Amino acid sequence: MTKLRDELMTASKRRLLVNIYQLNTEVVYTGYVRRVSHADFILETYNEQGIRDGGVLLRQSNVDFVETDSFDLDYMKRLIRINDHYNLHHEALQLKLAGDSNLFMSTLRLLWQRQAVVQLIVKSDDDKKRYHEGVIVQIDDEKLEFDQINKFNFTKRQFETIALNDVIGAEFAGKEMKLVAQELDLMVPDKHQTSQPLSIVDSVATIKQLAQTKQWAIFQLANEKQFFYIGQVVVANDAEAVIRVADANGQFGGYVWFRYIEVHKIINVDDYLQLITTIIQKNQMTNQFDVAVLNGERDFDAGDNIMFHILEQAYYFKRVIHISALNQADISGIITEFDHQNYTITVKATDEDIVDTRVIMIEQIVEMAFEYVKAFIEEKRLKA
């Protein structure tokens, strides 16, 4: 443990960007070590886009190893510098702790006093990690009382008692957590809304109606049924549509184009949708919905081939675009060739871990995401 603590202390003093690999989980935290005690430490964390977003408190006994030099960290440093330049980081971590003698307890007590939403990392009997999101209601030297929330089903909100010896970490102070903390009174059983999908027997009529009402909805597309978008239809014709997407922070998260054949489910009543739309409305009232570096009010023409124009603009302006096509893996990259005669595009992946250049038939494309933050950051990295 002394060797690990020395590595953490060195990383803190030299302000080294690190990857923290944990035991019995594939979750890796990236960031800068802010505080170190004899048994615990706090990392100011950065997400996969290189954006600063909150922190994590961890017991050193939960760490497998600390990485301070790697290809992945060099890549992250470049992303962080881009976010520095365009001021895309979330609020810096604020730590007002008296001392480091019992960093774990003092941090948890501070989060309790602030009534902050946290995500506790709790060990189970099979050594796997369980994640509990909610608010610490009370804490002593042996246990804590926890008000566990469920953003996706308000009826599952419950109080539980957790032994402190079982708590091995806590994520805290992320932007999404701060926004959710303001909506604790919403996420209660009395305000539960049973999920209600819209009929997609006539998906054209359903989506065109959503385009008129500008109602936010959950779009679950067939290619990735485990994922979904919260979106607002901005344009629709008889074969295709574009939605304006909101991210988990209730901010503009780019656009998604899709063919109607790709639609698996559209939901317009749901607990999580209720939560995010509440946050969206507050962000719009305070001018926090739009992201300065993105165009959240782009115009589209419903009268022609929407997809073709999106592809042409992505090609001419060398924009990163994420493409899903039939019978092949998704790819995020730059369009390097546009063959109008054979109706194909050539896409070169921008992920530095992947060497992939692919010719895609345009008629096989079923979904595209574009003009989102990660794409913007990648474009700037490629031009740097």
Side-chain angles (χ1 to χ4, degrees):
M1 194 63 68
T2 301
K3 181 178 181 294
L4 174 60
R5 185 165 62 249
D6 289 344
E7 290 176 339
L8 292 169
M9 290 292 293
T10 299
S12 178
K13 290 177 181 177
R14 297 177 58 190
R15 188 154 175 79
L16 300 175
L17 186 68
V18 299
N19 280 330
I20 302 295
Y21 291 82
Q22 304 174 84
L23 298 169
N24 303 315
T25 179
E26 295 182 356
V27 176
V28 178
Y29 292 110
T30 301
Y32 294 99
V33 180
R34 291 289 303 273
R35 300 288 285 268
V36 182
S37 69
H38 70 285
D40 321 296
F41 68 100
I42 291 175
L43 189 76
E44 184 171 51
T45 50
Y46 288 71
N47 63 25
E48 63 177 9
Q49 300 166 2
I51 296 175
R52 180 181 61 225
D53 193 18
V56 61
L57 166 73
L58 287 173
R59 296 191 189 274
Q60 293 173 30
S61 58
N62 184 50
V63 175
D64 188 9
F65 68 94
V66 179
E67 184 177 69
T68 59
D69 185 18
S70 68
F71 174 85
D72 174 66
L73 287 171
D74 289 340
Y75 171 74
M76 284 296 294
K77 289 173 187 176
R78 294 198 293 275
L79 298 188
I80 290 171
R81 285 195 293 268
I82 292 168
N83 288 302
D84 288 343
H85 180 76
Y86 290 98
N87 196 29
L88 293 174
H89 292 299
H90 300 319
E91 185 180 354
L93 196 61
Q94 302 295 321
L95 296 171
K96 297 181 180 179
L97 301 170
D100 295 334
S101 59
N102 194 336
L103 184 62
F104 206 84
M105 278 298 296
S106 59
T107 303
L108 291 180
R109 286 186 182 278
L110 179 63
L111 295 171
W112 162 57
Q113 292 166 1
R114 291 179 176 177
Q115 288 296 279
V117 168
V118 301
Q119 184 155 260
L120 296 180
I121 309 170
V122 182
K123 66 181 179 182
S124 58
D125 293 338
D126 57 5
D127 286 332
K128 292 183 178 180
K129 310 295 190 296
R130 292 179 290 123
Y131 294 86
H132 301 246
E133 187 171 19
V135 179
I136 300 171
V137 177
Q138 189 55 266
I139 185 170
D140 59 36
D141 292 338
E142 296 182 353
K143 65 184 184 304
L144 57 81
E145 303 296 327
F146 198 65
D147 178 6
Q148 181 167 308
I149 61 175
N150 189 307
K151 295 177 291 191
F152 303 96
N153 187 338
F154 296 168
T155 65
K156 293 185 177 181
R157 186 164 180 173
Q158 61 183 357
F159 288 87
E160 57 184 337
T161 301
I162 302 174
L164 273 178
N165 286 338
D166 290 337
V167 179
I168 56 179
E171 298 177 13
F172 62 97
K175 183 169 185 177
E176 182 186 358
M177 291 180 179
K178 291 180 179 180
L179 292 168
V180 169
Q182 299 172 22
E183 308 304 332
L184 292 174
D185 291 342
L186 173 65
M187 294 178 290
V188 295
D190 287 348
K191 296 183 180 178
H192 168 68
Q193 294 184 341
T194 302
S195 185
Q196 296 181 19
L198 294 170
S199 171
I200 57 171
V201 173
D202 185 356
S203 57
V204 177
T206 296
I207 291 175
K208 284 187 174 181
Q209 177 64 24
L210 288 172
Q212 291 179 354
T213 62
K214 303 300 180 185
Q215 180 183 3
W216 291 93
I218 291 174
F219 293 81
Q220 196 170 9
L221 303 182
N223 262 6
E224 301 181 7
K225 292 181 181 179
Q226 67 271 39
F227 302 114
F228 62 86
Y229 301 105
I230 289 184
Q232 185 181 48
V233 181
V234 292
V235 65
N237 59 29
D238 290 340
E240 54 186 341
V242 174
I243 58 175
R244 176 186 292 113
V245 174
D247 65 16
N249 298 321
Q251 290 184 294
F252 173 64
Y255 298 99
V256 172
W257 167 94
F258 58 87
R259 298 185 193 272
Y260 292 150
I261 59 171
E262 183 74 350
V263 176
H264 174 68
K265 187 181 294 184
I266 301 173
I267 298 169
N268 71 333
V269 177
D270 177 85
D271 279 350
Y272 187 65
L273 180 64
Q274 184 183 181
L275 172 64
I276 296 299
T277 53
T278 299
I279 295 173
I280 289 171
Q281 290 167 3
K282 291 185 177 180
N283 283 338
Q284 289 173 331
M285 290 175 61
T286 56
N287 297 316
Q288 298 294 313
F289 176 76
D290 294 318
V291 179
V293 298
L294 302 178
N295 179 9
E297 298 296 332
R298 179 170 168 177
D299 292 325
F300 298 89
D301 187 351
D304 56 7
N305 191 327
I306 303 169
M307 175 187 67
F308 196 81
H309 288 292
I310 293 169
L311 288 172
E312 280 195 320
Q313 288 193 345
Y315 171 62
Y316 289 123
F317 293 103
K318 302 301 179 187
R319 290 174 177 160
V320 171
I321 189 166
H322 182 87
I323 295 176
S324 300
L326 295 174
N327 303 318
Q328 54 186 296
D330 291 3
I331 185 171
S332 294
I334 298 287
I335 300 173
T336 58
E337 294 182 38
F338 200 127
D339 188 334
H340 292 74
Q341 183 175 352
N342 296 309
Y343 216 53
T344 64
I345 57 172
T346 302
V347 181
K348 182 178 181 181
T350 54
D351 190 329
E352 291 193 348
D353 290 332
I354 301 173
V355 179
D356 189 2
T357 299
R358 200 182 305 172
V359 177
I360 300 174
M361 295 183 66
I362 292 176
E363 65 182 14
Q364 292 187 336
I365 298 173
V366 292
E367 180 187 336
M368 301 185 297
F370 55 101
E371 292 191 25
Y372 49 96
V373 169
K374 188 175 182 180
F376 172 84
I377 295 169
E378 281 295 291
E379 289 165 18
K380 297 305 177 184
R381 181 185 65 81
L382 293 170
K383 294 176 182 178

